[in-house]
């Protein structure tokens, strides 16, 4: 019972008990000039001052949406970021100064600066490396004259979809007490998706500690609020570093749960700021959940007055959260305006402080022959108000949890009507088969992406453990709850689990899901043999057919693992299965037949949308991995053929979940082929279902019958993906049911 109520109560907590209306999040479309041309990104340069015989310039990066990022080559500092609010009005969202003298002054607070060679603190300003002790000029931020006080060389990098500045600095051996000649590059890139990417690269000729970060102060209100205590913040971390004197870590990790340091769920910065001690204010390092070194979401900030939202992604293991606790101490910014305590906050992505003296902390030593690489992305968007598909998603999630999730057993039902529940192998199966949970696993991941939360997919994964079957030759998941009625193991079910797991890993960096993806790969490869030249069977022990429904997702599992690990074995497997599937099962139009029989090589000629979906997405991945245009062309061809075959009538031809898999391919293709016709064709079918085939309880029906959990999981994924698409693209002629006033009663059905 606790499991069922957990999901429902969590949802009500997040979205409110009386209404599920949540402001929309989005990036504006690129500006159109008076002559109809689309604005292109640009770089502008102006003189900013001169010091020590060196000229300093301010460079302005501007994207096609009008967002601006300004950088000066003193300290490789961000001097300004200008983004629109929910009304489209641009304003500065970071603190800064008007003059070079202020940036060089003693009260510059590291404003927007690149910090190094070692950001943050080193205890007693010394460390021992390879048996030699090194003494530094200061214990904090790279020394008395760190990278924030250096003049950097700069190169402009223009482009059609993004513009960049590449800043370089040569730090000599012994500078501030650090060993090694160090070549450092910091690249600021502004994309048309309103992303500011910061890429760090460095090499050395002698082992040296290296921690780089950016010290920009954010106030997302754009001048509407002098404080940031009403900004909502979430940080993907369950632990933080205990600190002692001078804020030096002790080496212990503390749990955030129940403390003022807990931002694992969104809360206002000021909600418990007075409980932090030391006069109030945050200045601590979080140990992020993502410790993989891969790019993952680290934090999200939302400012309600302006509607601005900022997502922070990083490859770093730590995040320093600082609330400008000393900004009120006589520091004056642009226009002579004094700063205020808690008037801005920093989210500094980095390795842990005092790492050279803490062997249990992640390694921060760069050695000759190695290249230091790190990336942080600040993605800016706005929450504009309700979106119909997001509202529908929220309602449907609550309905599924209340109707399909059994409060007594904790299991899910696949059918609400007991008369439709199957009997197999002599056992009445009251609860769901594995396939339905696979649909919910992927859907939960998509809901988490839309809402910026975690935990939903974890709950489905825990539920799936009842289906885990460790039987040889490799462990996998069976079709039914093993303790109640052990059944068969289907390769495609396990592949769908692997696909969702690897997507969760890509988003969160949770190694559990990477291991799960690897396990699903190992299980699926027991389905491979040389009959008919290769390919995978679809069900364990059934050697009659090889199906697109097991080969298509098998390719995706292998490709996702290659992207996660760079192990070429996975890519080789993917290409082998890809070539076989195209040869044996592709139609002349570019779609895919269901199966081929091993006995006589005859073709099962049914055509389903999900088979085309997996193969379409495989081509997009292969294009991203190899850069070969042939894969992109094939993907576009498949998209066109599937649009005509599956969606021309304005009605879905097969199950919602089948269509959800094809939608994955369409959405992925949008990254490289900006044509919305596939999405619009799909949308017509979706809107028809929302308006015509949803009952008063919010459940989807076919005729007089309520659809099963597979269908509802598929629809939940579709709605979550359309919530993302609607956030990022202009879907014209919207007729989503949630926008119709006469559908308002549907909102209460999930309460």
């Amino acid at each position: 019972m606790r499991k069922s109520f957990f999901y429902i109560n969590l949802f009500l907590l997040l979205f409110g008990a009386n209404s599920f209306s949540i402001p929309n999040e989005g990036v504006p479309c690129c500006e159109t000039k008076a002559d109809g041309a689309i604005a292109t990104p640009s770089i502008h340069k102006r003189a900013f001052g001169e010091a020590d015989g060196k000229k300093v310039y301010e460079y302005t990066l501007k994207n096609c949406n009008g967002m601006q990022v300004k950088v000066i080559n003193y300290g490789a500092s961000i001097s300004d970021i200008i983004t629109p609010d929910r009304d489209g009005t641009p304003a500065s969202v970071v603190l800064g100064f008007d003059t070079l003298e202020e940036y060089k002054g003693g009260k510059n607070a590291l404003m927007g600066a690149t910090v190094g060679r070692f950001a943050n603190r080193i205890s007693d300003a010394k460390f021992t490396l390879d048996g030699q002790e090194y003494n530094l000029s200061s214990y904090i931020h790279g020394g008395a004259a760190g990278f924030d006080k250096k003049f950097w060389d700069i190169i402009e990098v223009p482009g059609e979809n993004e513009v960049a500045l590449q800043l370089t600095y040569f730090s000599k051996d012994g500078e501030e007490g650090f060993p090694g000649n160090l070549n450092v590059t910091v690249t600021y890139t502004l994309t048309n998706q309103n992303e500011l990417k910061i890429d760090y690269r460095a090499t050395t000729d002698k082992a040296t500690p290296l921690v780089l970060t950016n010290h920009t102060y954010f106030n997302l209100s754009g001048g509407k609020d002098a404080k940031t205590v009403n900004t909502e913040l979430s940080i993907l971390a369950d632990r933080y570093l205990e600190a002692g004197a001078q804020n030096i870590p002790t080496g212990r990790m503390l749990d955030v749960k129940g403390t003022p340091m807990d931002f694992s769920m969104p809360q206002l910065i000021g909600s418990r700021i007075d409980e932090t001690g030391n006069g109030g204010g945050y200045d601590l390092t979080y140990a992020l959940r993502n410790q993989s070194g891969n790019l993952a979401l680290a934090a999200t900030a939302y400012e309600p007055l302006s509607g601005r939202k900022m997502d922070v992604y990083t490859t770093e293991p730590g995040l320093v959260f600082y609330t400008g606790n000393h900004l009120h101490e006589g520091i004056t910014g642009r226009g002579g305006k004094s700063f205020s305590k808690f008037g801005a906050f920093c989210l500094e992505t980095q390795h842990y402080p005092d790492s050279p003296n803490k062997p249990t902390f992640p390694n921060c030593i760069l050695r000759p022959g190695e290249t230091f690489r790190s990336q942080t992305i600040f993605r800016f968007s706005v929450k504009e108000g309700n979106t119909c598909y997001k509202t529908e998603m929220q309602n449907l999630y609550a309905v599924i949890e209340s109707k399909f999730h059994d409060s007594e057993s904790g299991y899910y039902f696949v059918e609400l009507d007991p008369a439709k529940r199957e009997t197999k192998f002599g056992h009445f199966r009251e609860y769901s088969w594995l396939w339905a949970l696979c649909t919910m696993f992927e859907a939960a991941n998509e809901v988490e992406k839309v809402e910026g939360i975690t935990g939903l997919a974890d709950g489905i994964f825990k539920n799936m453990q009842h289906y885990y079957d460790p039987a040889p030759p490799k462990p996998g998941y069976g079709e039914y709850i093993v303790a109640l009625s052990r059944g068969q193991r289907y390769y495609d079910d396990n592949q769908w689990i692997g696909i969702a797991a690897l997507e969760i890993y890509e988003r969160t960096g949770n190694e559990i899901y990477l291991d799960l993806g690897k396990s699903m790969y190992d299980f699926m490869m027991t389905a491979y043999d040389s009959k008919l030249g290769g390919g995978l069977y679809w069900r364990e022990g059934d050697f009659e057919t090889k199906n697109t429904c097991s080969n298509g997702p098998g390719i995706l599992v292998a490709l996702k693992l290659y992207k996660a690990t760079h192990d070429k074995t996975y890519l080789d497997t993917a290409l082998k299965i890809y070539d076989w599937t195209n040869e044996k099962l592709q139609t002349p139009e570019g779609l895919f037949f269901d199966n081929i029989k091993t006995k006589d090589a005859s073709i099962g000629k049914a055509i389903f949308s999900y088979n085309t979906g997996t193969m379409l997405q495989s081509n997009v991945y292969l294009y991203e991995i190899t850069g070969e245009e042939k894969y992109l062309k094939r993907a576009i061809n498949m998209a066109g053929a599937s649009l005509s075959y599956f969606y021309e009538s304005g009605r879905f031809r097969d199950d919602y979940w089948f269509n959800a898999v094809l939608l994955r391919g369409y959405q992925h293709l949008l990254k490289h082929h900006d044509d919305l016709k596939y999405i619009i064709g799909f949308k017509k079918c979706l809107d028809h279902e929302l308006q015509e085939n949803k009952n008063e309880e919010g459940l989807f029906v076919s005729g007089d019958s309520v659809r099963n959990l597979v269908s509802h999981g598929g629809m939940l994924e579709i709605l979550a993906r359309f919530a993302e698409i609607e956030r990022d693209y202009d879907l014209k002629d919207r007729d989503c049911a949630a926008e119709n006033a006469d559908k308002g009663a549907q909102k209460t059905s999930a309460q």
Side-chain angles (χ1 to χ4, degrees):
M1 181 178 294
R2 288 193 299 269
K3 291 183 179 179
S4 179
F5 285 146
F6 167 77
Y7 290 114
I8 297 171
N9 290 336
L10 172 63
F11 203 85
L12 294 176
L13 174 66
L14 291 171
F15 307 129
N18 298 315
S19 172
F20 292 116
S21 298
I22 304 274
N24 184 34
E25 304 164 14
V27 173
C29 297
C30 289
E31 295 177 346
T32 303
K33 298 178 181 179
D35 61 1
I38 300 296
T40 56
S42 60
I43 305 175
H44 299 283
K45 172 183 175 182
R46 75 177 182 96
F48 196 71
E50 186 173 341
D52 303 329
K54 296 182 180 180
K55 294 183 178 180
V56 174
Y57 296 93
E58 184 177 61
Y59 295 78
T60 300
L61 304 177
K62 185 175 182 180
N63 71 7
C64 70
N65 301 312
M67 178 179 166
Q68 298 180 43
V69 175
K70 299 183 180 183
V71 176
I72 61 173
N73 57 309
Y74 178 77
S77 303
I78 294 173
S79 56
D80 206 356
I81 298 176
I82 298 172
T83 68
D85 63 11
R86 66 163 57 93
D87 297 320
T89 303
S92 174
V93 295
V94 302
L95 304 188
F97 299 117
D98 289 323
T99 67
L100 175 61
E101 288 70 23
E102 290 170 299
Y103 279 100
K104 284 176 59 61
K107 292 186 175 182
N108 65 11
L110 296 171
M111 198 69 64
T114 295
V115 185
R117 175 179 308 198
F118 193 96
N120 218 306
R121 293 155 173 80
I122 294 179
S123 60
D124 298 323
K126 65 182 180 180
F127 61 90
T128 299
L129 177 59
D130 296 338
Q132 181 174 345
E133 183 176 280
Y134 294 90
N135 292 281
L136 309 176
S137 61
S138 172
Y139 78 100
I140 190 169
H141 294 324
F147 290 177
D148 59 295
K149 297 177 177 64
K150 305 299 182 182
F151 296 88
W152 294 61
D153 295 324
I154 195 163
I155 298 174
E156 299 179 24
V157 185
E160 293 184 2
N161 298 310
E162 60 186 32
V163 284
L165 296 170
Q166 187 179 84
L167 295 97
T168 56
Y169 175 69
F170 176 68
S171 177
K172 294 181 180 179
D173 182 22
E175 184 176 282
E176 305 305 314
F178 289 97
N181 291 300
L182 187 76
N183 287 287
V184 187
T185 300
V186 178
T187 303
Y188 293 108
T189 304
L190 177 62
T191 75
N192 284 341
Q193 287 70 48
N194 284 7
E195 296 170 331
L196 170 59
K197 298 181 179 180
I198 308 178
D199 289 278
Y200 303 92
R201 298 287 184 273
T203 58
T204 184
D205 61 2
K206 185 186 296 184
T208 185
L210 181 66
V211 174
L212 302 174
T213 194
N214 181 272
H215 209 284
T216 293
Y217 290 81
F218 295 97
N219 183 324
L220 300 180
S221 74
K224 294 181 179 181
D225 191 342
K227 302 274 189 180
T228 57
V229 292
N230 292 316
T231 295
E232 182 183 271
L233 179 68
S234 62
I235 299 175
L236 276 71
D238 303 308
R239 299 182 301 164
Y240 67 98
L241 277 61
E242 181 186 57
Q246 294 185 310
N247 213 15
I248 302 288
T250 65
R252 293 181 61 205
M253 299 281 187
L254 301 180
D255 196 329
V256 301
K257 188 175 181 180
T259 75
M261 316 308 177
D262 189 359
F263 287 90
S264 57
M265 295 294 289
Q267 70 170 354
L268 299 183
I269 288 175
S271 61
R272 302 183 68 180
I273 199 167
D274 294 333
E275 302 174 38
T276 58
N278 299 319
Y282 292 94
D283 188 2
L284 73 158
T285 303
Y286 286 90
L288 295 172
R289 292 173 191 157
N290 174 39
Q291 298 284 312
S292 68
N294 295 321
L295 189 70
L297 181 66
T300 296
Y302 168 62
E303 202 288 314
L305 292 179
S306 67
R308 290 186 182 90
K309 177 173 175 260
M310 181 178 74
D311 294 309
V312 184
Y313 297 82
T314 189
T315 57
E316 291 294 308
L319 178 76
V320 173
F321 173 42
Y322 174 57
T323 46
N325 307 333
H326 304 288
L327 284 176
H328 62 296
E329 297 176 357
I331 305 176
T332 302
R334 295 190 199 96
K337 185 176 180 180
S338 296
F339 298 138
S340 61
K341 186 176 183 179
F342 309 150
F345 60 89
C346 301
L347 295 173
E348 305 164 49
T349 58
Q350 57 186 254
H351 270 54
Y352 302 162
D354 203 29
S355 293
N357 296 312
K358 299 290 190 301
T360 60
F361 284 1
N363 175 53
C364 70
I365 304 302
L366 179 67
R367 295 185 178 276
E370 299 175 342
T371 300
F372 172 82
R373 292 181 174 87
S374 176
Q375 184 180 60
T376 294
I377 298 177
F378 297 96
R379 183 184 188 275
F380 295 89
S381 57
V382 292
K383 293 185 177 182
E384 296 176 333
N386 296 338
T387 60
C388 58
Y389 296 112
K390 187 173 182 179
T391 301
E392 291 283 356
M393 176 201 77
Q394 293 163 349
N395 290 347
L396 181 58
Y397 178 85
V399 170
I400 289 173
E401 287 298 322
S402 65
K403 298 293 185 181
F404 284 94
H405 204 171
D406 181 31
S407 61
E408 294 185 7
S409 67
Y411 298 135
Y412 284 84
F413 298 118
V414 73
E415 297 281 1
L416 294 184
D417 183 356
K420 291 185 177 181
R421 296 170 191 167
E422 67 177 359
T423 297
K424 193 171 183 181
F425 301 124
H427 296 278
F428 175 66
R429 293 184 166 181
E430 183 175 6
Y431 303 112
S432 175
W433 355 286
L434 178 64
W435 181 22
L437 292 188
C438 296
T439 72
M440 287 297 296
F441 195 31
E442 179 69 39
N445 177 52
E446 291 302 315
V447 172
E448 288 185 8
K449 286 168 62 177
V450 171
E451 301 294 0
I453 60 175
T454 59
L456 305 185
D458 291 343
I460 301 295
F461 178 50
K462 290 177 183 177
N463 205 293
M464 287 194 300
Q465 299 318 298
H466 298 293
Y467 299 73
Y468 181 72
D469 185 350
K474 292 290 183 180
Y477 289 82
E479 63 176 321
Y480 197 65
I481 301 165
V482 173
L484 300 181
S485 172
R486 183 179 177 187
Q488 297 168 292
R489 299 194 297 186
Y490 288 78
Y491 295 112
D492 59 339
D493 285 353
N494 285 265
Q495 290 162 336
W496 301 124
I497 293 172
I499 288 169
L502 291 166
E503 289 181 357
I504 296 169
Y505 169 71
E506 183 179 352
R507 178 170 59 87
T508 68
N510 188 335
E511 296 279 346
I512 289 174
Y513 291 110
L514 176 61
D515 292 340
L516 178 58
K518 291 178 179 178
S519 178
M520 296 299 92
Y521 173 88
D522 291 342
F523 175 70
M524 88 173 189
M525 290 309 294
T526 66
Y528 188 89
D529 69 17
S530 60
K531 287 186 180 179
L532 297 177
L536 300 166
Y537 296 103
W538 75 296
R539 181 171 59 189
E540 194 172 32
D542 183 344
F543 304 106
E544 293 184 3
T545 63
K546 295 185 174 183
N547 299 46
T548 307
C549 74
S550 54
N551 284 277
I555 298 166
L556 288 175
V557 170
L559 289 174
K560 286 176 178 290
L561 279 170
Y562 173 73
K563 292 196 75 173
T565 67
H566 304 292
D567 184 340
K568 194 170 182 297
T569 302
Y570 295 123
L571 179 58
D572 292 341
T573 297
L575 289 170
K576 180 168 59 177
I577 301 173
Y578 171 88
D579 290 338
W580 182 90
T581 308
N582 278 303
E583 177 189 348
K584 301 294 184 183
L585 290 166
Q586 189 169 31
T587 73
E589 296 78 18
L591 305 178
F592 286 84
F593 294 122
D594 184 59
N595 65 73
I596 183 171
K597 294 179 174 59
T598 56
K599 182 178 180 179
D600 57 9
S602 60
I603 299 294
K605 294 192 175 181
I607 297 175
F608 299 110
S609 53
Y610 75 138
N611 288 332
T612 299
T614 56
M615 295 304 295
L616 193 163
Q617 194 171 21
S618 294
N619 276 285
V620 180
Y621 270 124
L622 286 168
Y623 170 67
E624 291 175 342
I625 291 168
T626 68
E628 295 184 32
E629 291 287 338
K630 67 179 181 181
Y631 294 115
L632 181 59
K633 290 178 181 178
R634 289 174 188 172
I636 294 171
N637 178 62
M638 288 180 192
S642 61
L643 175 63
S644 175
Y645 185 84
F646 292 109
Y647 305 122
E648 194 171 66
S649 68
R651 305 289 185 272
F652 287 135
R653 288 182 64 134
D654 44 21
D655 187 85
Y656 296 158
W657 180 78
F658 288 20
N659 289 283
V661 178
L662 181 50
L663 179 59
R664 297 175 197 176
Y666 285 171
Q667 189 178 11
H668 198 167
L669 180 60
L670 269 179
K671 294 182 179 180
H672 309 285
H673 181 64
D674 195 9
D675 190 338
L676 283 171
K677 66 182 178 183
Y678 317 113
I679 300 296
I680 297 301
F682 192 106
K683 176 182 176 297
K684 291 177 182 177
C685 302
L686 171 59
D687 288 340
H688 171 79
E689 295 301 315
L690 291 172
Q691 295 185 21
E692 303 297 332
N693 290 320
K694 188 172 68 170
N695 67 19
E696 293 182 355
E697 294 182 289
L699 294 163
F700 287 86
V701 298
S702 178
D704 295 329
S705 301
V706 174
R707 288 179 176 266
N708 64 18
L709 183 58
V710 173
S711 294
H712 280 85
M715 179 56 77
L716 182 62
E717 179 185 343
I718 289 171
L719 292 171
R721 290 184 179 278
F722 262 84
E724 295 178 58
I725 293 167
E726 188 172 52
R727 178 193 67 199
D728 297 334
Y729 297 90
D730 181 19
L731 299 181
K732 299 181 188 219
D733 303 321
R734 299 191 309 174
D735 56 359
C736 178
E739 292 186 335
N740 298 334
D742 62 349
K743 297 286 185 178
Q746 295 175 0
K747 291 184 178 180
T748 64
S749 66
Q751 296 173 10

